[in-house]
Amino acid sequence: ELKVEQNPLFLSMQEGKNYTIYCNYSTTSDRLYWYRQDPGKSLESLFVLLSNGAVKQEGRLMASLDTKARLSTLHITAAVHDLSATYFCAVDGEYGNKLVFGAGTILRVKS
Amino acid sequence: NAGVTQTPKFQVLKTGQSMTLQCAQDMNHEYMSWYRQDPGMGLRLIHYSVGAGITDQGEVPNGYNVSRSTTEDFPLRLLSAAPSQTSVYFCASSYSASGIFEQFFGPGTRLTVL
């Protein structure tokens, strides 16, 4: 059974600081997805990582994938308040259509 | 394009009542899914469909039924609501492009069962 674990589950950061969210998964998969969710809103796709060594960047967020270690990271550079949200990673399950989600990381950036 | 739409946005039910959550997409996506979101548990897959007329169970299917008679619509039926079904429900659609199954989510339905 595929399991996806994120840590930390809650992260309080000062503006301007850097931090990393980790996503570990339990079975072989080459596809990993990161989503952002604002309070009371739906999920917005951030990154799709398709292969070992994939790295994608958008603004202050950078995501990477190590399929051998079954690990993805979401790195936040010089955090700003607007990045406050919940971040989920998800991995393809048995079929590509069946995503298994991590519990989510609640990020709060304090000014 | 409206993307993925869900109705209603909010619903309160009494234990034992039944209802249908509606989901529609106008992107001609072949895949559609229903998830529930509970605090601290991420999203869990309830049912999914790989095309019209084809559905299958996800991780937490008990108490829910689905059908997919058209590509556009994928309703979720609660047969006899229970307090444990209090949750936020998200419908999502996706298509396969070179093995990518990026899912597009609807706005969600917040359901409370008393």
Side-chain angles (χ1 to χ4, degrees):
Chain A
E1 181 188 350
L2 174 58
K3 292 194 183 299
V4 180
E5 290 186 355
Q6 283 182 241
N7 68 83
L9 297 182
F10 182 77
L11 178 55
S12 181
M13 298 176 64
Q14 290 290 129
E15 274 194 330
K17 298 292 187 184
N18 304 334
Y19 209 83
T20 299
I21 298 170
Y22 297 89
C23 176
N24 290 92
Y25 54 97
S26 61
T27 64
T28 303
S29 177
D30 289 335
R31 292 185 296 267
L32 189 135
Y33 307 81
W34 284 97
Y35 289 89
R36 169 183 171 142
Q37 185 181 38
D38 292 306
K41 303 292 187 182
S42 186
L43 280 77
E44 171 193 356
S45 178
L46 290 175
F47 301 109
V48 179
L49 302 171
L50 297 178
S51 59
N52 188 42
V55 176
K56 290 201 173 178
Q57 182 161 6
E58 179 77 30
R60 301 174 187 273
L61 300 178
M62 184 173 72
S64 65
L65 178 61
D66 181 344
T67 57
K68 293 191 174 100
R70 298 177 186 169
L71 171 68
S72 180
T73 60
L74 181 66
H75 186 73
I76 302 150
T77 302
V80 293
H81 181 72
D82 285 352
L83 289 179
S84 296
T86 300
Y87 293 86
F88 292 96
C89 64
V91 179
D92 281 343
E94 182 181 341
Y95 303 104
N97 189 47
K98 295 171 67 173
L99 291 186
V100 178
F101 281 80
T105 297
I106 300 172
L107 173 65
R108 293 290 175 260
V109 181
K110 299 183 290 186
S111 48
Chain B
N1 284 353
V4 180
T5 58
Q6 291 182 238
T7 56
K9 285 188 168 48
F10 301 94
Q11 183 71 48
V12 178
L13 291 178
K14 293 182 180 175
T15 296
Q17 288 185 315
S18 62
M19 79 158 295
T20 300
L21 308 186
Q22 301 291 345
C23 174
Q25 53 96 5
D26 62 359
M27 298 175 282
N28 202 33
H29 286 173
E30 52 199 306
Y31 303 103
M32 295 186 76
S33 305
W34 275 102
Y35 295 87
R36 60 177 287 173
Q37 182 178 23
D38 301 294
M41 301 185 75
L43 279 76
R44 293 180 292 167
L45 182 66
I46 304 171
H47 285 286
Y48 68 99
S49 169
V50 299
I54 306 170
T55 64
D56 205 347
Q57 296 180 351
E59 181 185 354
V60 288
N62 291 343
Y64 307 96
N65 271 358
V66 292
S67 60
R68 184 120 178 252
S69 56
T70 67
T71 300
E72 294 78 20
D73 300 300
F74 191 43
L76 178 72
R77 280 180 285 278
L78 279 71
L79 308 172
S80 176
S84 61
Q85 293 179 303
T86 294
S87 188
V88 181
Y89 291 85
F90 288 100
C91 178
S93 72
S94 63
Y95 68 99
S96 172
S98 300
I100 301 171
F101 289 90
E102 185 180 5
Q103 301 212 6
F104 297 84
F105 285 84
T109 295
R110 187 172 295 271
L111 175 67
T112 301
V113 182
L114 303 175

